[in-house]
Amino acid sequence: MSDLSGFNNANSEDVTSTQRFADDLIEDPKDGLDDEELAAVAALPEGSALLIVKRGPSDGSRFLLDVDVTTAGRHPNAEIFLDDVTVSRKHAEFKRDANGFSVSDLASLNGTYLNGSRVETARLRDGDEVQVGKFKLTFYSANPGRG
């Protein structure tokens, strides 16, 4: 620890300790999940991930990401079928690689959002919220912290 005795500031107090915060102030990405959803996340096979619809016409639906490329859209052949006019036929793509998962917008009309910001492509982490049209999906990976 460095010696702060030479620090001279008339407006400051002695700074010799570190502030500790209660564990409940540190957000857990799994907060807000019910027991069934927690069990589904815990049971994810290695290298996979789960999207849980938290807001939208299919609230509570779950989509497993267990292949290298998964398309989300309004097209009936989309792996993640989101049936609403705010969703483009081929709206977004979820990709898995050696570093985890990412989401990419597929030139959709209304855009793809990650945690409230419009993105073209972005890496996903546990607890991230992806918005596709009026659907809000929360991302959880089998390997927490990696995404």
Side-chain angles (χ1 to χ4, degrees):
M1 183 169 173
S2 61
D3 180 17
L4 298 176
S5 61
F7 182 75
N8 187 6
N9 186 343
N11 295 328
S12 69
E13 297 177 16
D14 182 24
V15 183
T16 57
S17 66
T18 301
Q19 179 68 39
R20 296 215 38 161
F21 294 97
D23 288 339
D24 62 346
L25 293 178
I26 300 171
E27 289 187 37
D28 182 347
K30 293 179 180 67
D31 281 351
L33 295 181
D34 62 30
D35 290 341
E36 187 177 319
E37 292 167 335
L38 285 169
V41 171
L44 285 171
E46 186 175 335
S48 68
L50 189 67
L51 290 170
I52 301 175
V53 179
K54 288 299 186 180
R55 193 175 311 160
S58 57
D59 189 27
S61 296
R62 293 178 281 198
F63 300 100
L64 180 63
L65 302 177
D66 62 349
V67 295
D68 290 339
V69 178
T70 303
T71 303
R74 200 179 70 230
H75 193 281
N77 292 337
E79 290 88 0
I80 299 175
F81 178 58
L82 302 173
D83 191 18
D84 189 81
V85 295
T86 60
V87 178
S88 296
R89 291 179 188 275
K90 291 184 180 177
H91 196 109
E93 194 171 69
F94 295 89
K95 291 184 181 179
R96 175 178 65 181
D97 61 30
N99 297 316
F101 287 87
S102 62
V103 63
S104 297
D105 185 73
L106 298 176
S108 67
L109 180 63
N110 293 321
T112 300
Y113 293 79
L114 179 64
N115 300 322
S117 297
R118 191 169 183 156
V119 296
E120 293 301 317
T121 298
R123 179 71 50 200
L124 295 171
R125 298 189 188 287
D126 263 14
D128 278 349
E129 181 182 81
V130 177
Q131 183 172 344
V132 175
K134 65 166 99 174
F135 294 86
K136 290 189 176 182
L137 309 102
T138 306
F139 174 84
Y140 299 98
S141 67
N143 307 323
R146 263 193 37 184

